């Protein structure tokens, strides 16, 4: 199977750079699967995981907090405010973040805080899910 | 006659000052290394996002996105990036001087502009002079992460979108080398001078070009602010390092001058004592 180069870049540096055979990402308008030789495309990403299928059949999961994906026939780039490979996720921190965000959501405050807490909760849950591999 | 003890005291106090400046210099130089690494790690992200934004913006002409269109300027905002602490040579003063000069040139009244301040020194300067500081960030860590500045970046972009001001300039010290930095002015918003894409790939947009710009442009503007901040941090550490190096060198000079004085005075005292003894002995004979 043909492979395509994927790199994932965040403001704090590159996170991932390798050849894969398929990329499955969650965009704001739904999940997409991208193979090598795809036409050039750009799509914004939702908070979620990107699945990278390797040539040997193994899969890698990376948690993303938004950003966008840029597809070119020979190269796929993902730019995100933050990205973490499943193994390197700090679950304890994520669980604490979930608690914090849930606490905030219950204590009803003004609108903006609510929105931010909701996003924080989504990011933290996403991290935990990715780490446990149930995507 | 110079007082021996007094000189000794000055030598000792200069020595301890020198120790401190020396330590600060070393701390800054290691921080500078880290800051340089951070700035370097950030380059691929910046280049990539610039590339994509350029490609999309030039692909969807006349998108009419508010962040891309210039509108009549009623109010200007200045985002000034400085440091929290002093002892960094001319780091803050050069940037503040530049901003002040620009403001004096461009504006007649204080209603025409607002300030967004990053760093305590910057905030205090403008607050003291009765400028309207609409937003400020202090206490940023030495190695800021993207999350640390997201708040102000988002606010800066948000206030432009909701019409609080009509253009946004950013001021920061661009890191040139360990001994040089230059004050840089950058027009952040509206994004009128987007570099055209280097690759002429025509993209498919999912769901649409406008929807992507909606997500991408704020992210782009935020990343520009973050880039400037990393750049500013690197030059902050560099200029602190240089300032502390100069202070250490000055202290060494001072110590050697004082030691010379001290030894002269000591010798003079001994000579005088001998003369007195000899004089005394001669008088007895």
């Amino acid at each position: 199977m043909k492979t395509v180069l994927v790199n994932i870049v965040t403001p704090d540096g590159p996170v991932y750079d390798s050849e894969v055979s398929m990329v499955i990402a969650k965009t704001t308008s739904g999940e997409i699967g991208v193979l090598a030789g795809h036409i050039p495309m750009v799509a914004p990403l939702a908070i979620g995981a990107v699945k990278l299928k390797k040539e040997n059949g193994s899969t890698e999961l990376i948690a993303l907090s938004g950003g966008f994906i840029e597809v070119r026939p020979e190269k796929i780039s993902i730019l995100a405010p933050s990205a973490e490979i499943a193994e390197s996720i700090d679950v304890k921190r994520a669980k604490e973040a979930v608690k914090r965000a849930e606490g905030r959501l219950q204590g009803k405050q003004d609108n903006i805080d609510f929105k931010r807490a909701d996003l924080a909760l989504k990011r933290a849950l996403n991290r935990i899910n990715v780490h446990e591999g149930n995507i | 006659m110079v007082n021996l003890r007094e000189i000794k005291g000055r030598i000792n106090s200069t020595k301890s000052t020198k120790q401190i400046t020396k330590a600060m210099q070393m701390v800054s130089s290691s921080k500078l290394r880290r800051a340089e690494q951070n700035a370097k790690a950030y380059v691929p992200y910046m280049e990539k996002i610039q590339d994509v934004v350029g490609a999309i913006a030039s692909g969807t002409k006349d998108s009419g996105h508010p962040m891309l269109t210039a509108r009549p300027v009623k109010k200007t905002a200045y985002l000034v990036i400085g440091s929290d602490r002093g002892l960094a040579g001319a780091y803050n003063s050069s940037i503040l001087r530049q901003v002040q000069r620009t403001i004096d040139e461009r504006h007649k009244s204080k209603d025409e502009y607002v300030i967004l301040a990053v760093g305590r020194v910057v905030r205090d300067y403008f607050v003291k002079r009765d400028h309207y500081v609409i937003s400020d960030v202090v206490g940023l860590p030495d190695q800021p992460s993207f999350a640390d500045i997201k708040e102000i970046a988002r606010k800066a972009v948000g206030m432009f979108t909701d019409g609080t001001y009509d253009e946004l300039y950013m001021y920061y010290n661009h890191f040139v080398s360990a001994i040089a930095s230059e004050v840089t002015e950058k027009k952040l918003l509206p994004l009128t001078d987007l570099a055209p894409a280097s690759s002429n790939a025509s993209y498919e947009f999912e769901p649409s070009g406008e929807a992507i710009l909606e997500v991408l442009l704020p992210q782009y503007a935020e990343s520009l602010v973050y880039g400037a901040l990393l750049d500013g941090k690197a030059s902050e550490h560099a200029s602190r390092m240089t300032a502390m190096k100069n202070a250490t060198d000055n202290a060494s000079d001072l110590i050697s001058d004082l030691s010379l004085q001290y030894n002269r005075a000591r010798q003079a005292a001994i000579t005088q004592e001998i003369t007195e003894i000899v004089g005394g002995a001669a008088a007895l004979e």
Side-chain angles (χ1 to χ4, degrees):
Chain A
M1 198 166 180
K2 264 175 82 180
T3 58
V4 57
L5 182 69
V6 171
N7 56 43
I8 298 179
V9 197
T10 71
D12 299 320
V15 173
Y16 189 86
D17 190 7
S18 171
E19 294 276 341
V20 304
S21 55
M22 184 179 185
V23 178
I24 300 168
K26 197 176 156 197
T27 72
T28 46
S29 48
E31 280 208 336
I32 55 164
V34 182
L35 298 170
H38 198 284
I39 55 163
M41 181 194 77
V42 177
L45 296 173
I47 296 170
V50 58
K51 235 185 244 181
L52 302 160
K53 289 211 168 135
K54 296 247 188 164
E55 216 178 359
N56 58 14
S58 65
T59 318
E60 262 191 280
L61 277 177
I62 291 172
L64 296 179
S65 57
F68 62 94
I69 181 169
E70 184 215 9
V71 180
R72 289 191 203 175
E74 72 298 336
K75 194 179 165 196
I76 297 173
S77 323
I78 294 174
L79 279 93
S82 75
E84 285 145 297
I85 298 172
E87 294 90 63
S88 67
I89 289 173
D90 187 345
V91 183
K92 216 178 114 203
R93 219 189 104 208
K95 280 189 177 148
E96 275 163 20
V98 169
K99 251 185 230 152
R100 225 177 16 242
E102 276 172 346
R104 247 177 241 156
L105 285 177
Q106 262 139 34
K108 285 178 194 113
Q109 280 154 353
D110 56 70
N111 238 336
I112 305 156
D113 255 351
F114 183 81
K115 217 169 156 188
R116 274 182 57 193
D118 191 38
L119 281 177
L121 179 64
K122 272 192 193 139
R123 281 197 297 267
L125 285 175
N126 176 46
R127 282 202 179 96
I128 296 172
N129 285 339
V130 168
H131 184 76
E132 287 163 0
N134 50 10
I135 284 288
Chain B
M1 188 53 155
V2 207
N3 190 344
L4 270 182
R5 256 222 329 242
E6 207 174 278
I7 300 179
K8 190 85 202 158
R10 279 190 67 192
I11 291 178
N12 284 336
S13 75
T14 314
K15 265 187 186 156
S16 53
T17 311
K18 183 183 161 186
Q19 266 180 347
I20 295 170
T21 56
K22 179 108 194 168
M24 283 178 75
Q25 181 202 333
M26 276 171 347
V27 169
S28 298
S29 82
S30 80
K31 278 183 182 165
L32 169 64
R33 239 189 337 266
R34 286 274 303 279
E36 265 184 289
Q37 268 170 18
N38 286 353
K40 217 178 271 167
Y42 183 63
V43 170
Y45 182 82
M46 196 63 233
E47 277 175 354
K48 202 75 232 174
I49 202 164
Q50 221 149 18
D51 216 30
V52 177
V53 169
I56 299 176
S58 59
T60 51
K61 275 272 178 285
D62 305 319
S63 62
H65 191 278
M67 282 173 75
L68 292 174
T69 32
R71 49 189 192 225
V73 177
K74 284 194 231 70
K75 213 162 204 171
T76 309
Y78 295 94
L79 173 66
V80 186
I81 299 177
S83 71
D84 278 344
R85 276 165 296 157
L87 291 180
Y91 178 76
N92 285 306
S93 58
S94 62
I95 207 159
L96 291 173
R97 199 174 333 115
Q98 171 87 36
V99 175
Q100 186 70 60
R101 201 184 307 140
T102 318
I103 287 176
D104 291 344
E105 267 169 31
R106 288 189 195 159
H107 305 289
K108 285 190 199 72
S109 96
K110 285 185 173 171
D111 306 323
E112 289 175 14
Y113 59 87
V114 292
I115 308 280
L116 293 104
V118 177
R120 187 168 291 122
V121 178
V122 176
R123 185 194 62 185
D124 292 351
Y125 177 90
F126 286 110
V127 168
K128 206 171 157 198
R129 279 161 187 75
D130 272 338
H131 298 295
Y132 181 34
V133 178
I134 199 166
S135 173
D136 64 81
V137 187
V138 295
L140 279 179
D142 283 322
Q143 324 291 343
S145 72
F146 193 55
D148 291 322
I149 65 108
K150 229 171 159 183
E151 187 79 8
I152 187 150
R154 187 172 298 161
K155 241 193 247 171
V157 175
M159 282 191 281
F160 173 79
T161 328
D162 68 22
T164 311
Y165 40 74
D166 308 295
E167 55 180 356
L168 173 63
Y169 289 92
M170 182 163 67
Y171 283 85
Y172 63 99
N173 271 311
H174 172 58
F175 176 76
V176 181
S177 73
I179 48 164
S181 66
E182 88 196 32
V183 178
T184 310
E185 182 201 60
K186 205 171 195 174
K187 190 173 184 185
L188 195 61
L189 290 170
L191 297 158
T192 41
D193 52 347
L194 283 174
S198 50
S199 61
N200 45 8
S202 55
Y203 289 101
E204 188 91 333
F205 300 121
E206 184 65 44
S208 69
E210 283 76 30
I212 290 170
L213 282 182
E214 202 67 43
V215 180
L216 199 55
L217 288 180
Q219 206 177 334
Y220 177 59
E222 280 166 21
S223 64
L224 283 178
V225 176
Y226 185 60
L229 185 79
L230 288 181
D231 207 349
K233 275 286 174 195
S235 43
E236 179 192 337
H237 295 314
S239 74
R240 179 164 294 130
M241 187 181 90
T242 320
M244 286 303 119
K245 189 177 175 307
N246 289 340
T248 312
D249 291 350
N250 281 345
S252 303
D253 287 352
L254 195 59
I255 289 171
S256 76
D257 278 358
L258 285 171
S259 306
L260 195 66
Q261 252 183 55
Y262 176 79
N263 288 337
R264 275 210 190 112
R266 190 174 54 95
Q267 223 158 22
I270 294 170
T271 314
Q272 200 185 3
E273 254 171 56
I274 293 173
T275 331
E276 276 165 11
I277 293 169
V278 171
L284 282 180
E285 272 172 18

